[in-house]
Amino acid sequence: MPAPIEFDADDQALLNQSIDYYHETLKQSPEAQAYLKGRGLFHPELITQFKLGYANRTLGLRLPSTDRQAGLSIRTRLQKVGIYRDSGHEHFNGSLVVPILDGAGNVVEVYGRKIRDDLRKGTPLHLYLPGPHRGVWNEAGLATSKEIILCEALIDAMTFWSHGFSNVTAAYGVEGFTQDHLDAFKRYGTERVLIAFDRDEAGDRGAAKLAAQLAEKGIECYRVLFPSGKDAN
């Protein structure tokens, strides 16, 4: 069995360390790397730049045993930060893990995307940490241009980034544009947003609503029109 990890007592550090573990797991997982390549996410720096990870049930092997107080304590705290569920299972098990980092490199939100298709019917493919969405993915990219591509989903945004568009970020779904996003646009002086939501009814409706919201803030908007029923990825 692998040697136990020495987890920090601070909750933020605990969350950061969990994402570090998932990051190392992805770098050693042919299955997860094949998933990325299959989605066209082949940029050699993508995994490292955004600290992508993979949750494959092995985190528990690095924790103290559940028959020890230390083991119960660390699992309780992992439930508190959202890495474990109340059931004792890893929340993001079987998922590509995409952390959202703040300016100090701390994890403030996590997105998980199941990488297998043979899942039990009704299993959610998309997961986040419990609670309201926080942070802006690829915030550093907002500093590179006054024109920003805004996707509906993180996989779509990573697709743009992998093909050379560093000025890209993502909402958390069609209704997932947050105050954090708006604050970041203001902070970096964003002047124009290219809304690259999915080309479906929900995406069109969400894009129109968001364009009106941003126009009120003096930000010019354009719609990226994919073929009907398609998205960036």
Side-chain angles (χ1 to χ4, degrees):
M1 180 179 294
I5 302 172
E6 293 294 330
F7 279 100
D8 196 283
D10 177 77
D11 286 342
Q12 180 63 68
L14 176 65
L15 180 56
N16 292 349
Q17 286 175 297
S18 300
I19 296 305
D20 287 344
Y21 179 77
Y22 289 149
H23 180 54
E24 292 303 317
T25 301
L26 174 56
K27 291 193 290 186
Q28 300 173 36
S29 171
E31 179 186 18
Q33 292 181 38
Y35 173 79
L36 287 172
K37 291 178 181 178
R39 296 297 298 263
L41 302 175
F42 51 78
H43 193 289
E45 298 177 10
L46 181 70
I47 293 173
T48 301
Q49 177 81 9
F50 297 107
K51 215 170 193 177
L52 304 187
Y54 179 48
N56 65 349
R57 277 201 185 96
T58 60
L59 178 62
L61 301 177
R62 307 297 299 274
L63 305 179
S65 172
T66 54
D67 60 8
R68 295 169 50 195
Q69 181 59 39
L72 293 174
S73 175
I74 192 69
R75 285 170 174 80
T76 298
R77 290 174 50 230
L78 285 169
Q79 290 174 13
K80 180 181 177 182
V81 299
I83 293 297
Y84 264 44
R85 296 176 179 171
D86 291 343
S87 64
H89 296 94
E90 287 182 56
H91 180 54
F92 295 105
N93 179 51
S95 301
L96 171 72
V97 174
V98 184
I100 312 300
L101 309 176
D102 66 13
N106 289 315
V107 178
V108 295
E109 172 65 286
V110 181
Y111 166 68
R113 202 315 180 168
K114 299 288 189 182
I115 70 170
R116 297 180 60 171
D117 295 324
D118 58 343
L119 301 172
R120 184 174 57 196
K121 187 175 181 180
T123 300
L125 296 179
H126 308 277
L127 301 166
Y128 291 96
L129 289 178
H133 297 301
R134 297 175 55 206
V136 177
W137 182 80
N138 189 33
E139 183 170 338
L142 274 62
T144 67
S145 175
K146 300 299 183 184
E147 179 177 271
I148 301 300
I149 302 166
L150 177 67
C151 295
E152 176 180 326
L154 285 159
I155 293 288
D156 293 338
M158 289 193 292
T159 303
F160 274 104
W161 192 91
S162 294
H163 288 79
F165 296 89
S166 62
N167 58 325
V168 63
T169 190
Y172 301 107
V174 291
E175 296 289 341
F177 184 82
T178 69
Q179 186 63 45
D180 283 357
H181 289 104
L182 184 57
D183 289 345
F185 285 176
K186 292 178 180 178
R187 188 158 53 248
Y188 294 103
T190 299
E191 297 175 355
R192 184 180 302 106
V193 172
L194 309 182
I195 303 177
F197 283 11
D198 297 4
R199 188 74 191 281
D200 55 20
E201 183 179 349
D204 289 342
R205 185 172 60 250
K209 179 180 177 181
L210 179 58
Q213 178 184 347
L214 292 177
E216 291 181 354
K217 305 297 182 181
I219 298 175
E220 189 177 13
C221 292
Y222 289 90
R223 177 77 163 108
V224 177
L225 292 177
F226 300 109
S228 180
K230 300 295 185 179
D231 58 38
N233 189 260

